[in-house]
Amino acid sequence: MHSAAQTGEVTLTPGSEGDVTLTPPGSAVLEVRELTIALPAGGERATAVSKVSFSVHRGEILCLVGESGSGKSVIAQGIMGLLPPALPVTGGAALLEGEDTTRASPERLRQLRAARMSMIFQEPMTALNPVMRCGEQLDEVLVHHTSLSEPERRAKIIATLQEVLLPDPARMFAAYPHQLSGGQRQRIMIAMALVLDPALLIADEPTTALDVTTQAQILKLIADLQARHGTGVLFITHDFGVVAEIAQRVAVLRLGELVELGAKDEVLKRPRHRYTKMLINAVPRLEPHGRAADTDAPVVLETRDLDKTYVDRAWFGKRRNVAAAKRVNLSVRRGQTLGIVGESGSGKSTVARCIVRLIDPSGGEIHLHGEEIARRSHGDLRPLRRRVQIVFQDPYRSLNPRRTVGEAIMEGPLNYGVPRAEALERARRLLALVRMDAGALERYPHQFSGGQRQRICIARALALEPELLIADEAVSALDVSVQAQVLRLLEEIRTEFDLAMLFITHDLRVAAQVCDHVAVMHQGVVVEYGAAEQIFLQPKHEYTRALFAAAPGRDFAFGRA
Amino acid sequence: MTAPETESFESLSVESAAVLRQESAWQRVRRNGAVRFGAVALALLIGIAAAAPWLGTVDPSLFDAGSRDLLPGKTGDITTLEGEIIRHTFFMGSDSYGRDIYSRVVFGTRVSLAVGVCAALVALAFGIVFGLSAGYLRWLDGVLMRIMDGIMAIPAILIAIALIAAWRGSLVTVIVAIAIPEIPRVSRLVRALVLTIREEPYVEAAIALGTPPWKIMLAHILPNTVAPLVVQGTFICASAILVEAILSFLGVGLPPDIPTWGNIMAEGRVQFVEYPHNVFFPGIFLAVTVLAVNILGDGLRDTLDPKMAKRV
Amino acid sequence: MYTFLARRLLATIPVLLVVAVLVFLMLRLTPGDPAAILAGDAANTEQIAQIRTGLGLDRPIIVQFGIWAGNLLSGDLGESFYYKQKVTTLIAHRLEPTVSLAALTILIAVAVSVPLGVLAAWRFGSLFDRMLMGFSVIGFSVPVFVLAYILIWLISLKLGWLPVQGYQRLADGFGPWLRHLLLPSITLSVIYIALIARVTRASVLESLGEDYIRTARAKGLPELRVLVRHALANAAVPIVTVIGIGIALLIGGVVVTESVYAIPGLGRLTVDAVLARDFPTIQGVILFFSFVYVGINLLVDLSYVFLDPRIRY
């Protein structure tokens, strides 16, 4: 074994292992030393992870932060011995209580998993076996790692379910995963990971797929359990809000290399590396931008008592009405941005899709510049379609894979009789506007990254010179640095074209940055609606307050490093 | 935010640009070993079919009482239509009428390939029309799909047998009878594709861009159904060649005087114990042909339609 | 559960109705006069007319269908032109060999293909996997009757292990029954093995890529349990589905196999009926096979409820 001084990480990670003031209490549960994991030949780079060293101590939460492609999940799988054969560990070690898991035999790894090291994953919806009862999934851990009798196992499971604060443990024991909510499933996962009281818990983006209120509860649960059991936690996330909420120490990864490692406040407030600085600056602040909105600007869009009810009619079954949106009243003025904020299932996207008339509203009115469009037939709607354009969430599915970028951007103008040469000229101008090379026109969408595709989608939407641009979670799938770029682009476009914008997001930070007005939706109803300043600084409705209280890292001032 | 930050965003952002190097589907198809093998084998068979008269064959309907049941490689006499008697080497032996198996097998290639390709085209054409109608015209969907369910409930080979029994076997009736039971499968595939693609955000974006429905169908939906349909068509072709041979073999397909692999085997089965070559030679040709088409289909599926490749 | 059962049963009615209409039309809307075909080449016009009236063929097609469907509902499939027997009786007599052949085939196929498919998925990309996939393509491509003759030639003629042809009733003893059925069942099961092994491999491969498999491994479970209880259990629905869909394939195979091995079953009856242009028998057998197919797929649908708790109708 080589000593920590030889790791060569000292220059990059000032004040890590050697620094007395930063050494956390307790001994190292996990020590990762110069871990290197190869990528298959012919990829964009040779290694997924290269010479990464850090340690996790007893009773400590270390956050491993990075954007997509940083190799953070690969490290976790490397420690657990779960890497696919295509990604072999080619150097270094991961010492779990002194034992190198990267060289352990499969049988030894099997013994260590769940007993000494456990892992929870991002998607609670898919991480549990859907055809097996939750109780049995917990039970098999005990069956294969202990010699407890059946009643003993059951008692232990019930006790663990109680510890993760699941209501009615006996019912949870007998339930199938699909019968539980996302938060409950993640609690089952946590129970499963901690039932044998392991020394190390690896949490790989455990709250990313959850709504913000559920996320807050799960974060608290992990922190509580960790403190009570003295577990060492390696917490992987891309979200600096979460880091601010839960971390004691932070490690920042970029393209498989560790660029910074230190105590939380140190890294978040005084980042040393340029990349860390950039990332932290890209995190939107949770306070309104304070830009004055012109209250006299003409109203572009107005909805009056907009309703959307889905009717679920099964054979023999009872008719069930599901109200996705109830009596929604909103208006957007020219040059201004209205944000619709809410958790999944709140009806925010339904409202957007009604306004674009991708779905037909069940009731109420939609006025576009005074013209009622909620009940127009699709034929009559055509002349008005160009006035409202939409950008969707998923940049990978928003562009037809078989049409070039040029064709995509020109499609709208050509539909409305713009001559081809002029449409092409417009496409070229728009690409320049979204800061892309004109050479992109001839290429296909699969040749671009997510952020670039989203820019193309924005250019496509702008090609019709709309009055209202709807961004439906348009930056949610992007990494934080790319997100910041796209947000700034949208902001520029709004000012330049004096566009009315409807901005739909689940992310309060993003909303705070771009919105002049905010509507908070909950279960299909707008519970609070007003100027951004007022909503963010003096929320009135109970739900709005709960939402803000749940926002991770709310007390931390980002973007000022 | 200030200007210098812009620079650092662009330069430090780690978003991968490696996607640029992705190759197109067509490049993947050409590099795929299975596709190459299948295509070469198929080209060879098409060559044999086209050049049948010049490959040392005689008219496959010629027979000679003196050359019955010859073993492979033996030489015997054969009488031409003009009454001329010629010496002929029977590479694959002769049947109980004294016909040259080799000539019949080589000419049989024509029938098999014609049936396979035509049946696939007929099934695809009708399947696309029905599938698009069902996927786009919701009122038609219920009725159309119930009828398709009904056709699917009848085992394919029985439909073919029954139809040919009713119509009497000819090349056209055999092709149609084999194609009909395949239509529901193509329809269902097209319908499912239309329903999935319709929900894609790029189609919704096109709606928002004011693209009329017929243009959405042609420009956005149809092109994305081509790959799965090519794959499906290849598999239909393989199965049609098989079914034709089975029908002929059972004596319920093309009339026995037409040289098809199934007919040759049907004639040879009576004397199988003494002269197995009558069954084996056409059997090998049949198996190799179907195998080549199936391998081609597998390769196309793996390269053109990775999602489907995962499913089956 | 009972509403689901009732609903599923009701949903088969339109399918069965469509099948009945199709089968009826298939043989009625033919070029040529069935009465003339039936009467044979030597018959004169009067005889043909007589036959036509006797069979009700002179009435409007819709009336003919009404009568035929009415008889069908009371379990009457009409009388065979050729055998001069009730079609239902004919089917009943030929049922045992076909059911025996089909059952043994499915048994062999499932027992062989599912473990092979799971193993191939587990060792995805290995030599074994590629060999199995290669075998499966060949299995799809070699026609049943060619395979039958190869096996007869090898096993029966050269090695003399099993009888060449024929069928022994189960009532005459299990041993002879099995000896006569083994070769036909193996022959027929090859294509079925190819199909099920492929689907098993694909669906197990898909579930092996799911998050819950990673969870199961992270829990430190033995690989066998991960494979069977987690991967295979989640792959069960497509596997059972393909077994159901494959029944249609099997029925086609039965027709050929019975013909080659001279087994006096329903497949043999179908071919004989077609050669004799015995339309009532053809109709009856096709209807029977189709109804069996619909019935089996109904069972398959019902099994989903037990295989996947998420499926609740």
Side-chain angles (χ1 to χ4, degrees):
Chain A
M1 283 204 279
H2 43 225
S3 74
Q6 281 176 305
T7 59
E9 292 298 306
V10 182
T11 49
L12 269 179
T13 59
S16 58
E17 321 304 334
D19 196 320
V20 180
T21 57
L22 277 173
T23 306
S27 53
V29 167
L30 173 75
E31 216 181 318
V32 175
R33 283 187 190 161
E34 302 221 315
L35 187 67
T36 302
I37 297 167
L39 277 175
E44 51 188 297
R45 54 184 211 250
T47 54
V49 173
S50 127
K51 296 199 170 184
V52 167
S53 302
F54 61 84
S55 60
V56 178
H57 296 259
R58 219 183 112 69
E60 164 190 62
I61 300 183
L62 173 76
C63 271
L64 200 53
V65 207
E67 295 186 288
S68 49
S70 63
K72 52 193 192 300
S73 291
V74 176
I75 293 179
Q77 289 172 38
I79 298 165
M80 292 293 291
L82 289 171
L83 285 172
L87 302 176
V89 174
T90 50
L95 304 179
L96 175 75
E97 298 176 301
E99 185 174 354
D100 186 357
T101 62
T102 64
R103 283 177 188 75
S105 71
E107 180 53 25
R108 181 62 191 152
L109 270 176
R110 196 187 69 67
Q111 290 167 359
L112 288 174
R113 291 176 193 153
R116 301 313 302 153
M117 56 179 179
S118 278
M119 189 160 174
I120 54 179
F121 302 96
Q122 176 172 355
E123 285 289 343
M125 301 295 170
T126 54
L128 290 168
N129 184 342
V131 304
M132 210 165 161
R133 292 178 196 277
C134 294
E136 196 188 340
Q137 298 192 45
L138 273 149
D139 191 48
E140 60 180 359
V141 178
L142 299 180
V143 168
H144 290 279
H145 289 283
T146 69
S147 49
L148 297 175
S149 70
E150 220 234 285
E152 285 169 333
R153 295 200 306 266
R154 194 183 158 87
K156 194 171 170 68
I157 290 167
I158 298 283
T160 315
L161 291 177
Q162 269 160 350
E163 204 182 352
V164 297
L165 306 177
L166 274 168
D168 199 354
R171 192 174 63 81
M172 294 291 159
F173 189 93
Y176 285 103
H178 70 275
Q179 296 165 325
L180 308 181
S181 72
Q184 287 173 330
R185 287 186 223 189
Q186 202 58 300
R187 282 171 199 270
I188 296 276
M189 279 299 294
I190 294 171
M192 213 147 74
L194 295 180
V195 68
L196 291 175
D197 208 0
L200 173 72
L201 173 68
I202 300 176
D204 188 357
E205 303 259 13
T207 59
T208 307
L210 301 174
D211 274 328
V212 60
T213 43
T214 317
Q215 162 169 298
Q217 294 162 11
I218 296 291
L219 287 178
K220 185 173 182 315
L221 178 70
I222 292 175
D224 287 352
L225 289 173
Q226 176 265 342
R228 198 178 313 150
H229 293 265
T231 320
V233 176
L234 178 61
F235 195 105
I236 294 166
T237 182
H238 69 284
D239 184 339
F240 273 96
V242 171
V243 176
E245 195 71 33
I246 199 166
Q248 279 144 19
R249 287 195 306 144
V250 184
V252 183
L253 278 176
R254 175 175 183 265
L255 297 175
E257 285 175 30
L258 192 74
V259 297
E260 188 152 0
L261 175 65
K264 174 176 78 177
D265 283 356
E266 203 61 33
V267 174
L268 293 191
K269 288 183 180 151
R270 288 175 294 280
R272 288 158 197 257
H273 196 278
R274 289 168 62 219
Y275 179 68
T276 319
K277 268 185 211 162
M278 186 276 288
L279 278 185
I280 290 173
N281 277 332
V283 179
R285 260 174 279 165
L286 192 56
E287 47 192 74
H289 50 68
R291 184 180 61 217
D294 179 5
T295 46
D296 296 329
V299 172
V300 174
L301 173 88
E302 194 174 0
T303 68
R304 289 186 198 149
D305 290 339
L306 185 67
D307 274 316
K308 177 65 193 178
T309 311
Y310 287 102
V311 183
D312 194 5
R313 208 172 338 186
W315 282 36
F316 300 100
K318 275 165 258 149
R319 254 177 78 136
R320 275 195 329 187
N321 289 343
V322 183
K326 273 179 283 192
R327 306 182 76 84
V328 173
N329 292 291
L330 301 169
S331 68
V332 195
R333 290 174 191 275
R334 193 159 80 200
Q336 296 183 10
T337 303
L338 168 68
I340 304 183
V341 174
E343 297 182 299
S344 57
S346 62
K348 53 190 192 305
S349 282
T350 304
V351 172
R353 297 163 65 81
C354 280
I355 292 169
V356 195
R357 286 292 307 275
L358 290 173
I359 48 177
D360 296 328
S362 332
E365 296 168 11
I366 302 169
H367 292 269
L368 190 65
H369 261 320
E371 286 193 71
E372 212 291 312
I373 58 164
R375 276 183 293 277
R376 283 201 185 212
S377 74
H378 283 263
D380 289 346
L381 202 61
R382 223 173 94 80
L384 291 172
R385 281 227 185 262
R386 60 186 309 172
R387 297 196 189 170
V388 183
Q389 286 301 308
I390 183 162
V391 178
F392 296 100
Q393 170 171 9
D394 188 343
Y396 292 90
R397 289 169 58 199
S398 300
L399 291 165
N400 186 341
R402 295 187 191 279
R403 311 195 86 203
T404 62
V405 169
E407 285 174 315
I409 300 179
M410 294 188 319
E411 179 169 0
L414 291 179
N415 283 339
Y416 288 94
V418 175
R420 207 174 168 85
E422 201 184 318
L424 187 65
E425 185 45 43
R426 198 184 286 182
R428 212 168 264 138
R429 254 196 347 260
L430 285 166
L431 273 183
L433 180 76
V434 299
R435 302 222 177 76
M436 284 186 63
D437 197 53
L441 284 174
E442 303 298 318
R443 301 221 296 256
Y444 285 89
H446 70 85
Q447 297 175 300
F448 296 96
S449 68
Q452 290 172 323
R453 288 186 208 203
Q454 212 58 323
R455 288 164 189 272
I456 295 167
C457 290
I458 292 171
R460 175 177 64 184
L462 291 177
L464 280 176
E465 294 164 353
E467 294 160 32
L468 175 69
L469 182 64
I470 301 180
D472 187 359
E473 298 275 14
V475 297
S476 306
L478 305 175
D479 273 331
V480 62
S481 61
V482 184
Q483 181 182 55
Q485 296 164 24
V486 175
L487 278 178
R488 210 170 36 216
L489 175 65
L490 284 171
E491 196 58 29
E492 282 168 23
I493 285 164
R494 186 185 57 79
T495 356
E496 189 174 333
F497 296 90
D498 215 6
L499 268 179
M501 209 146 82
L502 187 61
F503 198 95
I504 287 141
T505 183
H506 71 282
D507 189 330
L508 296 169
R509 293 178 180 278
V510 170
Q513 286 314 296
V514 298
C515 300
D516 300 300
H517 292 86
V518 173
V520 181
M521 281 192 80
H522 182 50
Q523 293 174 353
V525 179
V526 175
V527 295
E528 191 161 0
Y529 178 31
E533 292 268 314
Q534 181 249 311
I535 301 269
F536 276 87
L537 300 177
Q538 290 130 20
K540 291 196 182 65
H541 194 274
E542 192 189 341
Y543 176 74
T544 316
R545 269 186 244 142
L547 212 53
F548 284 118
R554 65 198 161 281
D555 304 323
F556 215 92
F558 286 106
R560 288 174 181 165
Chain B
M1 288 175 191
T2 52
E5 275 169 28
T6 315
E7 184 197 283
S8 62
F9 272 146
E10 311 293 344
S11 59
L12 281 165
S13 173
V14 295
E15 245 206 329
S16 145
V19 274
L20 279 171
R21 259 182 274 153
Q22 266 193 20
E23 30 178 12
S24 73
W26 176 234
Q27 284 171 316
R28 265 180 291 140
V29 167
R30 275 191 309 189
R31 276 200 310 111
N32 183 282
V35 173
R36 284 180 173 185
F37 176 85
V40 167
L42 209 56
L44 211 65
L45 284 161
I46 292 171
I48 290 176
W54 299 283
L55 293 173
T57 56
V58 294
D59 184 327
S61 59
L62 293 183
F63 57 91
D64 195 302
S67 304
R68 284 182 192 157
D69 298 329
L70 290 180
L71 290 175
K74 290 270 189 284
T75 307
D77 292 334
I78 205 152
T79 318
T80 65
L81 289 174
E82 292 79 34
E84 204 182 329
I85 294 173
I86 47 171
R87 293 293 285 172
H88 180 72
T89 306
F90 294 81
F91 298 122
M92 297 182 183
S94 66
D95 65 11
S96 57
Y97 295 92
R99 294 179 295 200
D100 179 28
I101 304 274
Y102 169 71
S103 303
R104 292 179 69 77
V105 166
V106 168
F107 276 92
T109 314
R110 293 181 163 187
V111 179
S112 284
L113 291 179
V115 169
V117 172
C118 294
L121 290 179
V122 170
L124 283 182
F126 282 91
I128 290 172
V129 171
F130 290 144
L132 286 183
S133 315
Y136 241 75
L137 308 171
R138 306 307 293 159
W139 54 271
L140 199 61
D141 187 32
V143 182
L144 214 49
M145 282 303 122
R146 288 300 80 69
I147 294 176
M148 295 300 159
D149 283 349
I151 300 180
M152 291 231 281
I154 311 174
I157 216 163
L158 295 185
I159 297 186
I161 288 179
L163 287 177
I164 295 170
W167 289 338
R168 303 263 181 198
S170 75
L171 201 56
V172 175
T173 55
V174 165
I175 289 169
V176 173
I178 292 174
I180 285 179
E182 301 287 350
I183 292 174
R185 271 166 273 269
V186 181
S187 307
R188 286 194 152 258
L189 175 67
V190 174
R191 173 178 174 273
L193 286 167
V194 169
L195 292 183
T196 329
I197 299 170
R198 257 162 49 127
E199 302 292 316
E200 288 293 321
Y202 63 78
V203 172
E204 298 197 321
I207 296 173
L209 290 169
T211 309
W214 62 268
K215 211 172 149 192
I216 290 185
M217 178 77 96
L218 289 182
H220 292 284
I221 295 180
L222 259 187
N224 284 296
T225 64
V226 170
L229 283 178
V230 167
V231 175
Q232 184 78 4
T234 317
F235 289 133
I236 293 177
C237 177
S239 108
I241 293 173
L242 262 185
V243 172
E244 185 277 320
I246 288 175
L247 293 176
S248 297
F249 174 78
L250 292 175
V252 296
L254 288 166
D257 50 311
I258 296 180
T260 77
W261 295 334
N263 278 339
I264 305 169
M265 286 184 269
E267 199 277 329
R269 64 187 290 200
V270 189
Q271 307 192 70
F272 173 71
V273 176
E274 299 85 16
Y275 304 110
H277 60 269
N278 286 8
V279 170
F280 282 156
F281 283 118
I284 289 167
F285 261 70
L286 176 58
V288 168
T289 308
V290 179
L291 189 66
V293 181
N294 270 332
I295 288 177
L296 179 69
D298 269 7
L300 287 174
R301 186 195 50 201
D302 290 346
T303 46
L304 288 177
D305 194 9
K307 244 188 265 166
M308 191 160 123
K310 256 197 218 160
R311 275 203 303 271
V312 175
Chain C
M1 182 64 209
Y2 290 105
T3 33
F4 166 62
L5 188 69
R7 212 158 63 207
R8 243 353 239 99
L9 274 172
L10 279 174
T12 58
I13 290 176
V15 176
L16 294 180
L17 193 69
V18 171
V19 170
V21 173
L22 286 174
V23 169
F24 178 80
L25 288 181
M26 213 152 41
L27 297 172
R28 284 307 150 95
L29 294 181
T30 56
D33 181 350
I37 295 166
L38 192 64
D41 296 335
N44 58 32
T45 342
E46 270 165 47
Q47 284 171 308
I48 294 174
Q50 210 178 345
I51 291 172
R52 188 177 298 136
T53 335
L55 292 172
L57 294 174
D58 52 342
R59 294 195 237 177
I61 191 114
I62 190 88
V63 178
Q64 288 186 42
F65 178 72
I67 296 169
W68 183 72
N71 289 339
L72 194 61
L73 281 178
S74 59
D76 181 5
L77 290 171
E79 189 174 310
S80 158
F81 291 169
Y82 179 72
Y83 296 94
K84 310 289 176 207
Q85 265 184 314
K86 284 222 159 282
V87 173
T88 41
T89 323
L90 272 176
I91 292 178
H93 282 162
R94 307 287 196 109
L95 203 53
E96 189 202 293
T98 303
V99 171
S100 305
L101 175 62
L104 194 59
T105 303
I106 295 178
L107 200 72
I108 294 174
V110 173
V112 172
S113 61
V114 173
L116 287 183
V118 173
L119 214 58
W122 187 53
R123 285 287 170 248
F124 170 69
S126 68
L127 183 67
F128 173 77
D129 179 31
R130 278 174 305 178
M131 274 170 58
L132 184 68
M133 285 302 98
F135 159 78
S136 135
V137 185
I138 295 173
F140 276 131
S141 307
V142 178
V144 180
F145 53 95
V146 173
L147 185 70
Y149 280 116
I150 294 174
L151 288 178
I152 291 177
W153 183 77
L154 188 73
I155 310 259
S156 303
L157 296 179
K158 291 285 156 195
L159 299 170
W161 288 349
L162 290 168
V164 177
Q165 285 186 327
Y167 176 75
Q168 291 283 309
R169 294 191 157 272
L170 188 52
D172 299 337
F174 182 76
W177 175 83
L178 190 65
R179 276 175 55 79
H180 280 88
L181 268 183
L182 211 49
L183 206 52
S185 301
I186 292 172
T187 310
L188 191 49
S189 68
V190 165
I191 189 166
Y192 219 49
I193 290 173
L195 180 71
I196 304 174
R198 229 174 146 88
V199 170
T200 304
R201 172 184 174 272
S203 37
V204 169
L205 201 57
E206 196 175 337
S207 52
L208 278 177
E210 296 285 343
D211 290 351
Y212 51 78
I213 295 297
R214 198 176 48 179
T215 308
R217 293 207 170 115
K219 288 197 288 193
L221 298 183
E223 202 56 21
L224 187 66
R225 185 165 173 91
V226 175
L227 267 183
V228 175
R229 192 65 187 91
H230 291 271
L232 187 58
N234 275 285
V237 166
I239 296 173
V240 171
T241 306
V242 81
I243 293 175
I245 291 172
I247 298 288
L249 205 67
L250 192 69
I251 292 170
V254 160
V255 175
V256 182
T257 313
E258 288 186 356
S259 177
V260 175
Y261 289 98
I263 296 171
L266 288 172
R268 187 73 231 172
L269 179 65
T270 315
V271 177
D272 291 345
V274 169
L275 292 175
R277 303 182 78 72
D278 182 356
F279 289 116
T281 310
I282 302 176
Q283 276 179 339
V285 176
I286 293 181
L287 265 181
F288 176 78
F289 274 136
S290 308
F291 281 26
V292 167
Y293 179 73
V294 171
I296 285 175
N297 278 292
L298 179 66
L299 291 179
V300 165
D301 268 14
L302 293 179
S303 77
Y304 293 166
V305 179
F306 299 99
L307 295 175
D308 189 340
R310 284 169 298 181
I311 298 176
R312 284 276 174 272
Y313 296 87

